[in-house]
Amino acid sequence: SRRRHTRFLPVSWARRCVQETGKQELTTLFNQINGLLFTGGSTVLWNEDGSWNLVQEVGTFLMELVIEANNKGIYFPLWTTCQGHEIIAIAIAGDYRVLSYVNSENHIGNLSFTEAGNSNSQIFQYMSNSLKEALQNNSASYFNHNYAITTQTLSLIHI
């Protein structure tokens, strides 16, 4: 649940942002922080008619602020977990159909690291080889997803 993902945040002086916060207040808050976390969860990010719901709209707005800051040379990390990846994919593609339904609930497995991710990542470049090896070979990752960005749908994003 979202509560488990955010339990550690107050310890690091983080602040939870309520989704109903307006864009002006979000911008003000954004200018007072140095990083952003999109947690996991099971919220459907679109309405029945295909339009985005409030969670997706706010996530897209905040992602645009992150991109703008980084384009200005201000290092501003955006950490995403699970559904956070979905928010970003939908925002970049402009369409929720970039996600595919998958049967990937409650199992463990391995991670695959791409060459680009290994060499250019602010996170993975400092990861020890033993940890990378464990994540790649020892079924050390937990997966609990209904939607994913597949290689087929990834081509819709054009990145």
Side-chain angles (χ1 to χ4, degrees):
S1 82
R2 189 171 305 272
R3 293 186 124 172
R4 282 187 296 236
H5 282 83
T6 59
R7 209 175 285 155
F8 67 92
L9 293 176
V11 175
S12 61
W13 295 90
R15 179 176 175 175
R16 183 174 184 266
C17 180
V18 178
Q19 296 162 351
E20 290 80 17
T21 305
K23 287 185 177 182
Q24 184 60 45
E25 187 175 353
L26 285 171
T27 302
T28 300
L29 288 170
F30 182 86
N31 290 323
Q32 298 173 10
I33 60 176
N34 62 3
L36 193 58
L37 167 69
F38 287 175
T39 64
S42 59
T43 301
V44 176
L45 300 170
W46 56 89
N47 301 312
E48 286 184 24
D49 65 359
S51 63
W52 297 352
N53 70 11
L54 185 60
V55 174
Q56 182 63 49
E57 288 180 13
V58 169
T60 299
F61 177 73
L62 290 170
M63 185 193 74
E64 289 169 351
L65 292 177
V66 169
I67 291 170
E68 182 181 318
N70 281 286
N71 285 342
K72 290 178 181 176
I74 301 166
Y75 176 68
F76 196 100
L78 171 59
W79 180 273
T80 64
T81 300
C82 187
Q83 190 165 43
H85 300 309
E86 295 174 16
I87 291 171
I88 289 176
I90 292 170
I92 292 171
D95 191 331
Y96 74 93
R97 292 173 294 186
V98 71
L99 301 178
S100 297
Y101 180 78
V102 295
N103 183 10
S104 182
E105 292 187 46
N106 199 28
H107 74 273
I108 58 173
N110 295 323
L111 294 183
S112 298
F113 294 93
T114 65
E115 185 57 41
N118 275 330
S119 61
N120 298 324
S121 171
Q122 289 285 331
I123 296 171
F124 298 131
Q125 69 179 341
Y126 300 110
M127 185 182 289
S128 70
N129 288 334
S130 61
L131 179 56
K132 277 185 189 176
E133 188 173 307
L135 291 170
Q136 289 174 312
N137 302 313
N138 296 344
S139 294
S141 297
Y142 176 70
F143 299 95
N144 194 33
H145 304 283
N146 290 313
Y147 294 95
I149 302 125
T150 65
T151 53
Q152 292 81 17
T153 56
L154 185 62
S155 65
L156 296 174
I157 298 177
H158 303 293
I159 56 172

